[in-house]
């Protein structure tokens, strides 16, 4: 049975479906009866929920936050829709269609991953090839790479966003590398493929997009570098040694790809390849933010609302 | 007769050729005799020059700086080569092969200009087309556009550099526009074609690369906007009116293409097209600086000297 | 009949007057009846408005925002005054006394404009005189110059504010120019007269103070420079040519009058005249902000509320 | 006998006059003979000096730096003028006409001080009057106030510069205070009179312009505040108590007159009077720097050399 | 009778105690009756208060804000506790146990002050000793020193906080001075003892923590310097002269102890002692902020809420 | 035979010893004879060297730079000492007493290392203990840890400097940890022991202090994190697993110990332990810079020369 989305619910309907609940609180009415207030959400929106005649036991059994199967009824209260619950039962996250609850890419994940592999396959340097193959062969990591968002908020902040962004930057690189023949193409391609790989571990995206503890303490830049060295160690055990010069050139791209200290890069770009990765990564992130804001952003007339990350409102009237 | 380049002169040769002289000074020896010290230059280097038994009249007749035909002899003095002059005569700049004295692009100017025209010809919006055609039809301006450097120092700082840089950015745009289908391609192409056009007036490049008075007071960004409005006025007189929305969208790209206030942009990018032009203009300038420094820069071992504009030394060892 | 100002309305009065309405929304009650909620404003304040038993047709006919003639009654609801409307009819902005809706200068506009003309009339340099006369002869522009505010928010943000600010800066210049005899007085006076002229086109002030599209994309600094060149072109057609040196000196003052890149000046002051205009323009704007905040600002005791643009609260206790 | 200025000395003259010597060093020739090398200066320039057949005793007796009466002869050495000394004798600084050695204002110090007193005399508030009178009655301090420079380098860096700058700012205040009637005029005038008074103690100007130890550790801003409180304490002992509100309002102007934390102001302006003093103090300093650079600065053509404090070169071509 | 703390009140209790009231407003009900709304607070929290059937006379007699003895009853209104007052009578601040209303240190003030005196007693330099003794002998000032908070918000923002922070920094100094034997220990100890002494005058803490007018206009840094000079003047009158070098070295520590201009220091540290005081003062303030946030801060899971002054959330999971 | 130090050489001595030579150049005299010019250095200074009648073969055989055994004679030339060489033979760096050529700590390396081990031995948490023991057991790394400088320029820039600085910070921690009982002491101690460990690989110090290629591309912060993970991997292979929480807490201290993004930290401190390490690391570095400058720095009078890293000159007059 298809999920009944929050933005499709109208007053007076019977509710019998799985939703995520957030911030449940146990309160007492003026008469002293206990009830539970909570938010009920999926990826299309959020409603208030009320469970009257509640008990502490029921309250304690609720996930905070988490998925529940709920039965109840939608009604209007002070002109706002709310849901009055009769019954709730926690549900394992694994049994839930995550896509109903978290925004996700509208592109085909399988096709995008093939796109990435096709471009990475053109790397000629055998050591860079060995390294990227070692990553591609790590099925668990690649599964996360296909699923993770690229950010909590700023750009490509939906399931599959990391893959979509990585492919998009790879395509830009493929398009412009012939125009800059002195730039080492394989190094650029390997650098882009890996640059945000640590986000698979920095971000948590099982119920909402947030940072893991380790993500906040260490960050995806350092995590990606650690991953690169683990893969090189694994290759070394199999007899394939990667030169320090290759590790440093690739590591430098990872460490410097945010381009400025204040964006968390501990090193500034110092090679042509690091400059190129920094610029086109930023270009793709900005084009995504800008076109997304122009297409979906709020605001009035020809201008979107103020975008803090871009320090401007965006103009959306077209001339062509 | 081919010019004898400074870096080809050896001790003990007879000199009879045109050079640029700089900073001539009239001095007296301890015995009270007058002589003139000066620098003698072309695009390959600089030597000290001495003219003994000089008079004030000879000194006054010298350009400061400027071109002269000189006769004399090269000799070693304290291990340095210098030229002792017997005769000098000022020469008009117009009679001089400027290419002997100013660095210039090693690409074919005619071919590059055809490349620009070919990409600009793909603009479909009739008003953008009318505007770019009006610029292309201005033969004097296009002659300057083909000749001007793109900067005094930072990047593409040689004759033809403005054209080379503009073409390179146009090619990047052509390569990546298909990847961002929501971006108005004609507006991006017109914006790039025009973005630095005011440099033809901001920079002076008859004897050396420097700023004109007007260039320092007004700047190429404002000058380009003024040029755009003059062309629109000219079109209006011929009966072709350009919408204010088109003028604003194109003007905004020009005003915001440096991307940040501190780089002299009075407006920050607020459209997808302005963001794209800002990013790929900067990308191309940086790739030119970086690959140039890596190929020709000084420094020791694997590192170039410190590059202030990039806030780093550059690493030039290749792994591929 | 005099306008009944919002801040004079009391509970229980009959309303029959023109007001501006903002953000009307069509809602349904719990019983399913439609009603319209809106804000009702003039320059003295804002009240909630409700129109019960509304229809979609009535809602669609409302300006959003705009002026309407309304009939209804004021009442208290949960201790707040609101207006219950029986009838609304849109009214053309042209038929409205704008001064009832937008703040305006409490000085005499005619006298102020005479004051400006008197000071500008002292310019001696014939080319500066020709240019300023050309502006003064443009009746449409001068009408806007007398009406426009100087800003949406920061200072002199009321009708006539641009004129009031310009005159005030001119008076400061007139007072201190004798103390700095090496400064070219005519250039300073012409620069001040023109410095914010582009605000007539950057700002919109028919129903509220806001930016025009063109104002946000291009900005008043570049717009003023374009106006200056249009006037010079017009003079040239009449046979009066303005030297490039004059255009550059005056243009430079316009481009640099904000004094710093981060305030949107694409050039920093590089002449004594540009420094003077920058300083006294800023002085007058700050004195206006400060004395306004001290006289009308909120806050408690001897201190106003925090003023973000000044990075301080202001102390308003006097000692004299 | 008039001082023979350094810039008037020619080769072959007998020297018998007082000069300042700097950086004397005792050296030995290749043959082992001792000699002393030093610089010989006055306010018009600097020459090399040599004293052959020197002894350690002679060297030890030299001030380092300081004034000496010297006898010797000027001669050309490798095209540069130098002085060969036969005899030197230290001279007390008090017996020296300081004006021969330090740059000084070309205005009349007495007249300027009268100008200051005249404007200060217009203060009406009795407590501000008592305070400024207490300063004017301090003859030693007023003597320093008439003599001190306003800075080591940036502006008014010559004897009498502090007085000249203070008077100039007072005149600007006098000219514009009528235009801002809400500003407390007496507070502004008293604030300007005192604002840099601590420079009399921060700067040392007996042989060269430099900072005192105390000046570097404490600074003129805090020193001025301390002076103000000492004067108030002295008045209190005489029975005239100054209100805390007056001390705070005046102290605040002193502490905030640099306008920004990074210029050493521990407080930002928070009163109309503090804003006015900050702005016109800065205006006068900048006008002095700019017009001085334009009139005397180096550089080529229409532009002065780069001025770091102004972040620009200055354009010096006039149009009027 | 012990104070009944706000966070101990439950619905349905009789109230007869002293509380602070804030922001009382006189309002009228829809029926036209007057009532007073206010906040009722002590250091444990805040409740809404209502006094029905009020008169203007009662309202005018209320302190705004201030202490009152109130009689009434607690009740639930829309699920929130509020107090309905029958009677209020203003109470003098002096008759109130301040500790019930303002947060205060949980350490023993007497013991802490002894701790300070013990460390200060180790100063050997007789002039530094004379100065610190002069401060210790000022009973009024020492009373304030024991009572004042160290800040309105950031750290040690409770009664006794200034003393607690000063002692903590002194202890750090005592612990590490042996590790840096070249640092003048007595100067560091005297510097720390005095560094924030001006906060006794900068901050107001009779009913709430706030800034005095004088505190905002002058600041504790300049106030501390003034205090130091008053004490030196007093010593001089008693025949003990303090060398200028001592005053400057100590004054410099005071003026530079915030370490950066943007934190309100008019001088940057320029002695080893000033650097040490700056660093350990900052260390102690940060350790206090961080451990306080970790122990008491809000937030979810392992992380506190965002701390703006630290530009981070804080991680509070322990591993040891 | 003891090394003859550069600063002990006098004119007219026979030279027969090992020195480092730098920047050798092959030149020809005016007569056409070849000779080699070079610099001759050890840790006490530098002299010019000349080898007359040189050949290209001799020149090619010279290290550039490197150690040579040289025979020749010192002489005065234009008042400067130089060495005329008769014979040079390259020498392996391994056969050279490095201490003659590079500055080194004047403390006992063995004692300092024991000091570090003693403090580290107090760590109680078994996982932190296992990790630090694994580092201490790595004899090669510990040898580098005892030898490396702490920086190329700023502080502790001599052999043994890394050890000296690490011990000094550990001692500060040991002294102040009892004052902050909530801080996890073992984590702080382990964090300090490791914080700069990557400098053993970032810096090169065999002939001069400089950065390795890898050091410039990756940096000591990321290198230290990689080392930590290699050690944890090694422990895991031996059956000792380190919790992710421990790795993250320790890794976070390493990544954040520079305290600010612009100093190359990719993370800002977010735990009490990270704040403490950041502050006392910085304190110790600054105290070293300041006391070093005060004791050995140049400058005149009471002030050292300008110190750019500290943004001040330092005052060195003592009052105690």
């Amino acid at each position: 049975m298809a999920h009944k989305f929050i933005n499709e619910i109208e007053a007076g309907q019977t509710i019998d479906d799985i939703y995520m609940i957030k911030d449940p609180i146990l309160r007492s009415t003026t008469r002293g009866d206990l009830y539970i207030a909570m938010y009920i959400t999926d990826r299309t929106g959020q409603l208030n929920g009320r469970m009257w005649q509640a008990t502490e036991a029921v309250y304690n059994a609720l996930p905070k936050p988490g998925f529940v199967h709920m039965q109840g009824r939608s009604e209007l209260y002070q002109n706002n829709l709310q849901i009055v619950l009769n019954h709730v039962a926690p549900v394992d996250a694994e049994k839930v269609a995550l896509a109903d609850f978290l925004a996700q890419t509208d592109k085909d994940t399988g096709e995008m991953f093939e796109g990435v592999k096709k471009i990475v396959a053109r790397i000629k340097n055998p050591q860079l090839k060995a390294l990227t193959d070692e990553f591609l062969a790590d099925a668990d990591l690649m599964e996360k790479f296909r699923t993770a968002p690229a950010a909590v908020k700023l750009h490509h902040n939906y399931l599959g966003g990391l893959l979509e962004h990585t492919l998009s930057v790879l395509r830009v690189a493929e398009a412009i590398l012939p125009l800059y023949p002195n730039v080492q193409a394989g190094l650029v391609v390997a650098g882009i493929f890996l640059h945000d790989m640590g986000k698979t571990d920095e971000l948590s995206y099982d119920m909402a997009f947030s940072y893991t503890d380790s993500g906040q303490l260490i960050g995806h830049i350092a995590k990606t570098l650690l991953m690169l060295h683990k893969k090189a160690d694994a290759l070394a055990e199999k007899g394939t040694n990667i030169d320090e010069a290759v590790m440093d050139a690739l590591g430098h791209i990872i460490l410097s790809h945010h381009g400025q200290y204040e964006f968390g890069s501990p090193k500034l770009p110092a090679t042509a390849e690091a400059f190129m990765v920094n610029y086109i990564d930023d270009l793709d992130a900005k084009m995504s933010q800008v076109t997304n804001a122009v297409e979906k952003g709020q605001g009035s007339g020809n201008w979107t609302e103020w975008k803090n990350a871009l320090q401007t409102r965006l103009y959306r009237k077209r001339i062509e």
Side-chain angles (χ1 to χ4, degrees), chain A residues 60-104:
Chain A
N60 290 339
L62 290 180
K64 297 166 189 80
F67 298 105
V68 297
H69 191 125
M70 62 176 64
Q71 290 164 330
R73 193 169 172 77
S74 58
E75 57 180 45
L76 270 179
Y77 174 71
Q78 294 182 341
N79 264 332
N80 288 311
L81 208 57
Q82 69 175 21
I83 293 178
V84 175
L85 304 176
N86 301 320
H87 186 80
V88 298
V91 175
D92 257 17
E94 288 162 16
K95 298 191 180 157
V96 168
L98 212 54
D100 291 343
F101 294 91
L102 293 175
Q104 69 174 19

Side-chain angles (χ1 to χ4, degrees), chain A residues 131 134 227-240 242:
Chain A
L131 282 166
E134 190 72 15
M227 283 178 176
L228 175 65
H229 278 257
K230 299 257 174 197
K231 293 303 181 205
D233 288 352
L235 283 170
E237 283 192 17
K238 295 185 237 172
T240 304
I242 309 296

Side-chain angles (χ1 to χ4, degrees), chain A residues 44-189:
Chain A
T44 68
Q46 172 171 304
L47 293 174
N48 284 320
R50 291 289 181 277
M51 184 164 202
W52 308 108
Q53 277 85 34
T55 63
E56 269 199 51
V58 169
Y59 175 75
N60 290 339
L62 290 180
K64 297 166 189 80
F67 298 105
V68 297
H69 191 125
M70 62 176 64
Q71 290 164 330
R73 193 169 172 77
S74 58
E75 57 180 45
L76 270 179
Y77 174 71
Q78 294 182 341
N79 264 332
N80 288 311
L81 208 57
Q82 69 175 21
I83 293 178
V84 175
L85 304 176
N86 301 320
H87 186 80
V88 298
V91 175
D92 257 17
E94 288 162 16
K95 298 191 180 157
V96 168
L98 212 54
D100 291 343
F101 294 91
L102 293 175
Q104 69 174 19
T105 179
D106 51 14
K107 308 221 170 91
D108 184 292
T109 304
E111 275 176 28
M112 287 196 290
F113 189 56
E114 288 309 307
V116 167
K117 285 200 289 186
K118 216 169 98 185
I119 297 177
V120 170
R122 287 179 202 141
I123 294 173
K124 292 191 188 112
N125 177 292
Q127 298 194 356
L128 293 174
K129 193 161 190 54
L131 282 166
T132 49
D133 283 350
E134 190 72 15
F135 274 91
L136 287 169
D138 183 338
D140 283 354
L141 181 60
M142 288 303 103
E143 180 55 32
K144 289 181 181 177
F145 175 62
R146 279 188 296 265
T147 313
V152 170
K153 269 199 208 153
L154 279 184
H155 69 100
H156 299 94
N157 52 338
Y158 40 75
L159 294 175
L162 175 59
L163 172 59
E164 185 178 327
H165 168 58
T166 302
L167 175 59
S168 189
V169 182
L170 282 171
R171 280 187 178 149
V172 171
E174 203 180 29
I176 71 171
L177 275 166
L179 301 171
Y180 299 103
N182 290 324
V183 173
Q184 302 178 82
L187 188 51
V188 167
V189 168

